[in-house]
Amino acid sequence: MNTKHLLLGQTFEVTGDPFTAPWKDTVRVNSAGAVLLVGGHIAAVGQAETLRAAHPDAEVADYGQHMICPGFIDAHVHYPQTAIIASWGKQLIDWLNTYTFPEEMRFGDPDYARAIADRYLELTLAQGTTTVCSFTTIHPASVDAFFAAAAARGLRTVAGKTCMDRNAPEGLRDTAQTAYDDSKALLNRWQGRERASYAITPRFSPTSTPEQLAALGALWAEHPDCLMQTHLSEQVPEIAWMRSLYPQARDYLETYEAHGLLGPRAIYGHAIHLEPREIDRITDCGAALAHCPTSNSFIGSGLMDVAGLAARGIPLGLASDTGGGSSFSMLRTMAAAYEIAQLRGTALHPAQLMYLATAGAARSLYLHDRIGRLAPGIEADLTILDLASTPAIAQRSAEAKDIWEALFPTLMMGDDRAIADVWIGGERRPKTA
Ligand code: GUN
Ligand code: ZN
């Protein structure tokens, strides 16, 4: 079991935040690199020649010109929406009522929940994603199903029971008390077990009463080691709806803040239409944001100011938001992040895009000491990228003047064919899993 593996290839290394410091000082690619894996962790990162000489007993996987990257991390997903991804023609509130809530109702059946959890994790692993932070449904069994499916694959994951006690159909509502009780039982069962982390998960202010938000805020205060995930300022009609439900709140963030749901280890999905006060509070509190670019265009939400927010030092993770997002692939999600930033007048560098999908996402989930980088002591979840995976990409990368030019076509046009291999906890994932 405790085999030493030495992976050779081009290594993608991150030492800082390429949004608050020049990217050249924080991210680099070593074209003759190597990563040594021992006991499920990265033991060393360095020159191929040096590590090979120092570890003649290691089993070698030579990836040539492929890029050895940290496994991709998806900072905000809804695994129960796997079967309704790419549903046509609706914006957020209608999309929830038409497609999402009827599908989430099916998770009352634990067998269905487990089948979708398995399907979801196979689909995302095929795209090189090794950690996700997922919403579930109101059913506790949907949380158990997800964590059990992740544990069966050795994956590090974050998830929590999605809580809603109003503005959702009968059968998809809990109460303030049952949300508290169920979430507490689930976090006691899963937090820190194998590679699981629990996130207290009010869906969003419009589907929770103030009583439910307060109960979940109290639970978080009792368990500050847990994450807290929810949605914030995604669409303009949603914000108007929130205002009608919380007339005393100065802004959307205050609906959470007033109920103990703002602080470090909070991660808010979308965060597109923010007021200056909200940005200041998020920055001051050390809370994190998840950028969901395919979702934000697919359901017509708007253009997040990713470069501006990241420059403030806010921890920012990239996210597919499956199934509001239209893809399981973090490569496709990086392409969408690039396109949305372009529409706002900024060209994100490939180093910044890769950061958002690896170390940046790990930081947004407070897992930066465990995953998201190639560095000694970090868990050995790795994705190996083929930078010439299709004829269209290969003819482009063949002409590249440097590694960033060689990588960029894969970020823009790559799909699961670019994922040459995936390593989970120091073991290579069988190709035909
Ligand atoms: N806001 C509240 N619930 C959801 C959801 O399931 N998806 C998205 N994109 N936004 C939400
Ligand atoms: Zn979401």
Side-chain angles (χ1 to χ4, degrees), residues 43-344:
V45 182
Q47 285 303 122
E49 235 174 77
T50 317
L51 286 181
R52 225 177 162 151
H55 301 278
D57 54 331
E59 219 169 77
V60 172
D62 188 346
Y63 287 111
Q65 290 305 295
H66 290 359
M67 190 179 279
I68 304 172
C69 312
F72 294 143
I73 300 169
D74 193 337
H76 177 121
V77 313
H78 299 252
Y79 94 84
Q81 297 170 12
T82 297
I84 54 136
I85 193 169
S87 290
W88 183 82
K90 304 288 181 197
Q91 297 214 342
L92 179 60
I93 297 165
D94 291 340
W95 176 84
L96 286 171
N97 287 316
T98 308
Y99 298 118
T100 308
F101 290 158
E103 176 62 17
E104 291 191 9
M105 208 88 84
R106 300 176 73 184
F107 285 70
D109 172 1
D111 292 338
Y112 186 71
R114 181 57 195 255
I116 298 296
D118 283 330
R119 184 190 302 175
Y120 172 78
L121 290 174
E122 288 306 308
L123 287 167
T124 48
L125 277 168
Q127 302 288 351
T129 300
T130 50
T131 289
V132 304
C133 177
S134 188
F135 286 65
T136 59
T137 67
I138 69 146
H139 313 97
S142 74
V143 182
D144 290 329
F146 182 75
F147 279 132
R153 292 165 175 80
L155 293 169
R156 178 165 287 291
T157 47
V158 186
K161 177 190 124 78
T162 296
C163 301
M164 302 196 273
D165 67 344
R166 65 169 161 176
N167 295 319
E170 180 66 42
L172 217 49
R173 289 194 304 268
D174 49 18
T175 67
Q177 189 64 47
T178 60
Y180 175 92
D181 293 342
D182 289 347
S183 300
K184 189 178 177 119
L186 286 161
L187 76 82
N188 281 328
R189 189 171 316 142
W190 289 108
Q191 170 73 353
R193 176 164 155 195
E194 302 198 21
R195 301 185 78 195
S197 304
Y198 195 84
I200 294 166
T201 307
R203 182 177 213 118
F204 65 158
S205 297
T207 48
S208 287
T209 58
E211 293 71 33
Q212 180 169 81
L213 293 183
L216 294 173
L219 182 63
W220 196 25
E222 291 162 30
H223 298 276
D225 50 326
C226 288
L227 266 73
M228 193 291 299
Q229 63 175 344
T230 189
H231 296 86
L232 178 67
S233 291
E234 182 177 358
Q235 286 205 346
V236 170
E238 171 212 8
I239 296 169
W241 190 25
M242 173 281 299
R243 282 195 190 289
S244 72
L245 294 166
Y246 292 87
Q248 294 93 339
R250 271 177 293 181
D251 50 42
Y252 203 147
L253 187 69
E254 201 172 65
T255 63
Y256 299 125
E257 192 173 356
H259 298 102
L261 295 169
L262 173 67
R265 293 180 192 271
I267 178 161
Y268 303 94
H270 303 280
I272 299 168
H273 309 283
L274 295 178
E275 306 284 345
R277 189 201 83 89
E278 294 177 293
I279 298 173
D280 289 344
R281 287 297 291 141
I282 289 165
T283 310
D284 294 346
C285 290
L289 302 177
H291 179 33
C292 311
T294 67
S295 170
N296 295 344
S297 53
F298 183 75
I299 52 179
S301 302
L303 311 177
M304 187 204 209
D305 179 16
V306 64
L309 292 165
R312 300 276 304 247
I314 296 172
L316 232 145
L318 193 62
S320 67
D321 191 32
T322 296
S326 53
S327 173
F328 296 99
S329 161
M330 293 307 284
L331 292 174
R332 171 74 196 101
T333 306
M334 284 185 249
Y338 180 81
E339 290 159 3
I340 285 193
Q342 279 285 53
L343 287 169
R344 294 194 61 116

